[in-house]
Amino acid sequence: MEDCLFCKISAGETDTDFVYQDDQVVVFEDINPQAPVHLLIVPKKHIADLNNLQPADNELIGNIYQVAKKMAAEYDIAESGYRLVSNCGDDGCQSVYHIHFHLLGGRQLQWPPG
Ligand code: 5GP
Ligand code: ZN
């Protein structure tokens, strides 16, 4: 996808440092962190948003949850707790239309979200 920021980042075309990567996903720190731990888990495959998720993507999404669990342990927030969230659309405050999952932790998060 031309002009997709997360396609460029996940392809290694920027100077973004990956804290994890495998054949399907990359993980990097959010440029504007909202918590002491704020990672973005991004599939290399371009999927614009949750509305465009297909049944064929089920394994990918399952793997993303496994990566989230692994990263939570590595960042020492597995026991204290964390949130994995994917914003969708305008009301969901999605700003980058390449599906991704925020892993947030390291402080007491609030509920309901704003
Ligand atoms: P969304 O608002 O779509 O749910 O999440 C997009 C996230 O990407 C935001 O939290 C934003 O701070 C982050 N972001 C946007 N541009 C960049 C960038 O160039 N580098 C990094 N590391 N994060 C970015
Ligand atoms: Zn993309």
Side-chain angles (χ1 to χ4, degrees):
M1 283 292 291
E2 271 178 47
D3 294 332
C4 170
L5 175 63
F6 284 0
C7 277
K8 289 196 177 92
I9 289 179
S10 63
E13 293 171 7
T14 71
D15 59 5
T16 305
D17 291 327
F18 300 143
V19 296
Y20 173 85
Q21 66 172 315
D22 61 26
D23 58 330
Q24 290 187 320
V25 306
V26 297
V27 183
F28 52 91
E29 293 178 355
D30 196 292
I31 203 168
N32 183 23
Q34 301 301 310
V37 177
H38 187 172
L39 302 179
L40 297 174
I41 305 173
V42 180
K44 294 179 178 176
K45 177 182 178 184
H46 181 88
I47 301 167
D49 60 19
L50 268 165
N51 292 333
N52 284 282
L53 201 62
Q54 303 300 320
D57 299 316
N58 286 357
E59 186 183 339
L60 170 64
I61 298 302
N63 289 344
I64 284 173
Y65 271 75
Q66 292 295 335
V67 170
K69 174 182 137 181
K70 176 182 162 66
M71 298 314 295
E74 278 188 18
Y75 279 76
D76 208 22
I77 55 171
E79 300 306 322
S80 52
Y82 55 92
R83 188 171 294 163
L84 185 66
V85 63
S86 187
N87 297 327
C88 185
D90 289 345
D91 280 0
C93 288
Q94 184 175 7
S95 61
V96 178
Y97 278 78
H98 176 132
I99 200 168
H100 53 278
F101 294 76
H102 299 256
L103 178 66
L104 296 148
R107 68 169 171 83
Q108 178 64 63
L109 301 171
Q110 305 302 311
W111 194 264

